[in-house]
Every structure is written in C-alpha cells, then in structure tokens.
Amino acid sequence: MTSKQRITYLDMAKGVGIVLMVTGHLVGSLQTIDNKPYFSPLYQWIASFHMPLFFVISGIVLRITREEERDMGHIVYRKAKGLLLPYASFSLIYFVINICTCIFFPDLLQFSDLWRYLIYSVTLRGVSVLWFLPALFLGEVVFLWVRKRMGPGRMTVLFSVTGFLIFFFSPVLGWEGWESNLALMTVGAVLLTLARGLLSCTFLLTGYLAAGLVTAGEKKSAAGFLLGAVMLAADIILCPVNGSVDLNYMVFQNFLLYLFCACLGSFGVILLCKNVYQSKLLLFYGTNSLVIMATHMEFKVMLHTIRFSYWLNQYVTRAKEWVLYATMAVCITVLEAGIIYLFRHVLYFLIGKEKPQAGGEKRAG
C-alpha cells in the first residue's frame, strides 16, 4: 500500500473526528436552548472516542512513517513547529479576543479572569480546545523517546501502567481547590498538562501496535467495512454503561471500559473510512482539522451559526428540525472554509505551514 493511500483514509477518519467534535460542542450548546431526548445519548457516544481517535491515528502515522528512526532533535523541532506553533498562535489570538470581550462585554468576562487564561496558556493546559495540541506534542515526543529505548512489549507494559496511574490520580487532577488561587492554579495546570501527555501515549501505542493490521491490504473489503460497523455499534451499546466521560478534564468513570469504548469507536471509524469510497468533504475536514478545531468555538462560528439557523428556521413550515440542523451544517462549513483559506493562504506561518506554491498546495499527510 502506498503512503498516499494510507494518508487518504486516515485523513477521512480525522474528518469524521472533527465533525464529531463540532457536533458534540453544538449539542452541548443546543441543550441549553431546546434539550431534545437524543442529545444526551449522542453527546455520550461522541465523547466516548472522538478525542482518542486523533491520538490513535497519530500512532498509526508514527508507525507508517518510521518516525522513531529520525534524530530526536529533529523530531522535537518538527513536532513543535506543527503543534506548539499553532498552539502559541491561537492562544495569543484567544487572549486578544478575551481582552476585547472584557472591554466591550464586561458582563461576560472581567479583566481579573484574564490571569486564569494566561496561566492556562503558559502552562500548556490550554484555553478551550487548545489543550489537545500540547497533549499530542508531549505524547509523541515521550512516546518516540521511549520507543528508541524499548521494544513494543516493554512499551506496552510501561504505558499501561502509566495509564492506570493517571486514572488513579485523576480525582486529584480534577480537584476544584486548584482554582482557589494563582499559585495552586499554576501547579494544577502543569500537573494536568503532564497527565494528558502521558495518557496520550497509551492511545498512541494502541495505534502504533495496530498499524500493521489496519493498513494491511490495498483493496476495499466488505468484511473490513462490516467489522468497522460492528465496532461502532458495540461502542453505541457499551458507552451508556460507562456514562459521561471527558478526556480534557480526566473524567473516565470505569477506566477499562473507557479504553475499550475508545478503541472500538476509533478503529471502527478508521475501518469504515478505509473501506468506503473517497469523500472529498471528509478529506477537506480532515486535512484542515487543526484550524477547524481551534476556530469553531472561540471565533464565534458556532454561536453565529446557531443564531442565524434559529432565525431562519422561524420561516420554515415543513421538516423544521431537519432544516435547522442542515442549515447549521452548511453555515459552519461555509464559515470555516473562509477561515481555513485565510490560515492556509495568508496566515500560513501561524500554523507552521509553508507558503503555498502558485500552482496550488500539495496535500500533506
């Protein structure tokens, strides 16, 4: 199988992941407006695997590209450019947005709150969805450093143990007392950042070990599609048993069941994407998932989409609910397409990309 073929369906899987992320955040906002009975189960299912999916895909890519054979200094530089540079860029943009909010909408945010956002940014805890970028950076760097020194067997033992230790200490990481003063807030933020990075190694290892099985065979397979569908169906059945989870805040409930559901959902999506025809829309979402992740909430894309969709829906006479959700999907896609164009062609340096060539960009994996 060629690298291009592998990247195509993994990009599609990332596209599914970012769609689920936006959907989850959208559902969370819509629950305060009109809480439909299917919102809670849908949110539960999405949260059960949509963030681990990105780590699993990264683990597969690490194996495909033989990343551990590179010099460690080169690895750190590449990962910092691709993950920490966008993190710093969007953290600064968020901070400017928050300052403007303090000035023009003081009832929503006060200047005293900016200290918390500053600490979150500097400690790599991350404001809003940006927590994912430092977690992936730390996870990949630690994972590859260990891989250079250990075989898969010893790595499996190590990252299994660290995963369970993080679960054991997760109530401490979520202690509300960390927010009582700036000093404790800083310590708590650092601990949470390190814990996320170490836990991501467990999911990276899962993708790394399964890469050979996932990428085996070039042709699309009905059996592979069916297996992916069965895995997703199993996750739908099992995730309500574990209840609501949140990787950001280290809420896992039953940790073994959380890991199992995360693997079922992640590999289910990957197998489905591998064994269906190429979707240009999912590829678009997947190759631009970083920008979509960083902008759909804090750039108020979702907020304005909800307002416009409900305003328009008052004039709809049939299938109002379907039209409402379809309008939201179209609006978010159109708005994000404009933002993506801005960052890919004008502000490319802020997300660690090279200047696009005149003849068009070459898609990178």
Side-chain angles (χ1 to χ4, degrees):
M1 180 177 292
T2 67
S3 177
K4 182 179 178 182
Q5 288 173 310
R6 288 169 179 161
I7 290 172
T8 296
Y9 67 78
L10 292 180
D11 278 342
M12 286 174 57
K14 286 168 64 179
V16 173
I18 200 64
V19 168
L20 291 175
M21 175 191 287
V22 174
T23 302
H25 291 153
L26 196 59
V27 166
S29 297
L30 293 179
Q31 282 179 316
T32 63
I33 301 172
D34 183 15
N35 193 8
K36 302 292 184 181
Y38 50 81
F39 279 171
S40 183
L42 176 61
Y43 188 88
Q44 228 173 45
W45 174 68
I46 291 173
S48 72
F49 75 93
H50 79 296
M51 292 314 298
L53 171 62
F54 289 101
F55 292 117
V56 170
I57 292 172
S58 295
I60 294 173
V61 172
L62 292 181
R63 182 67 175 271
I64 291 173
T65 57
R66 297 180 175 273
E67 196 77 4
E68 70 272 13
E69 296 178 4
R70 300 178 186 269
D71 175 73
M72 199 64 212
H74 183 60
I75 288 172
V76 173
Y77 171 77
R78 289 179 67 249
K79 300 303 178 185
K81 181 181 179 182
L83 295 169
L84 292 189
L85 177 57
Y87 172 81
S89 299
F90 283 112
S91 293
L92 181 59
I93 294 171
Y94 285 10
F95 200 70
V96 172
I97 291 174
N98 286 330
I99 290 176
C100 293
T101 303
C102 290
I103 295 173
F104 298 106
F105 304 98
D107 55 321
L108 298 179
L109 190 67
Q110 298 181 352
F111 279 102
S112 57
D113 296 321
L114 295 181
W115 283 108
R116 182 171 77 256
Y117 292 116
L118 183 61
I119 289 172
Y120 284 2
S121 297
V122 172
T123 58
L124 304 185
R125 185 191 191 277
V127 175
S128 188
V129 295
L130 293 185
W131 69 268
F132 171 77
L133 298 177
L136 183 58
F137 170 79
L138 292 173
E140 288 192 338
V141 169
V142 170
F143 181 88
L144 291 170
W145 184 85
V146 172
R147 179 65 185 92
K148 285 176 173 291
R149 291 158 177 79
M150 291 185 185
R154 292 172 64 191
M155 285 178 63
T156 301
V157 174
L158 174 64
F159 290 132
S160 297
V161 171
T162 56
F164 277 96
L165 283 175
I166 290 168
F167 165 67
F168 181 78
F169 287 106
S170 59
V172 177
L173 298 171
W175 178 49
E176 293 182 359
W178 293 119
E179 301 290 315
S180 59
N181 61 65
L182 295 180
L184 283 175
M185 190 184 299
T186 302
V187 174
V190 170
L191 291 176
L192 186 58
T193 299
L194 294 175
R196 289 169 180 158
L198 283 176
L199 184 60
S200 72
C201 291
T202 303
F203 293 113
L204 289 168
L205 177 69
T206 304
Y208 187 89
L209 294 179
L213 294 174
V214 170
T215 60
E218 295 187 19
K219 295 182 179 179
K220 301 184 188 306
S221 162
F225 179 89
L226 181 61
L227 178 60
V230 169
M231 294 176 81
L232 275 182
D235 180 40
I236 292 173
I237 294 171
L238 289 175
C239 72
V241 178
N242 198 35
S244 297
V245 296
D246 192 325
L247 184 55
N248 181 7
Y249 294 100
M250 294 290 179
V251 178
F252 308 114
Q253 308 300 348
N254 184 309
F255 191 58
L256 280 175
L257 188 54
Y258 172 74
L259 290 177
F260 187 53
C261 287
C263 289
L264 283 175
S266 298
F267 288 110
V269 167
I270 292 169
L271 287 174
L272 286 178
C273 289
K274 181 182 178 181
N275 293 289
V276 297
Y277 291 106
Q278 185 180 118
S279 166
K280 291 184 178 180
L281 184 59
L282 285 180
L283 279 174
F284 171 76
Y285 290 146
T287 54
N288 296 290
S289 57
L290 188 154
V291 175
I292 296 172
M293 178 200 71
T295 61
H296 73 281
M297 290 182 66
E298 300 304 317
F299 281 38
K300 312 306 179 187
V301 170
M302 199 169 67
L303 174 63
H304 293 304
T305 290
I306 291 173
R307 288 178 175 176
F308 173 76
S309 298
Y310 272 98
W311 171 82
L312 184 65
N313 201 246
Q314 65 183 320
Y315 301 107
V316 176
T317 57
R318 296 183 180 180
K320 291 178 69 70
E321 205 165 305
W322 288 102
V323 172
L324 177 68
Y325 300 146
T327 303
M328 290 180 181
V330 172
C331 286
I332 289 177
T333 299
V334 171
L335 290 173
E336 283 295 341
I339 295 173
I340 288 166
Y341 183 87
L342 177 65
F343 277 97
R344 298 287 289 194
H345 294 271
V346 181
L347 303 176
Y348 51 87
F349 53 91
L350 293 180
I351 56 174
K353 301 295 183 182
E354 301 296 331
K355 184 176 182 180
Q357 298 176 358
E361 275 187 282
K362 182 179 178 182
R363 187 173 63 85

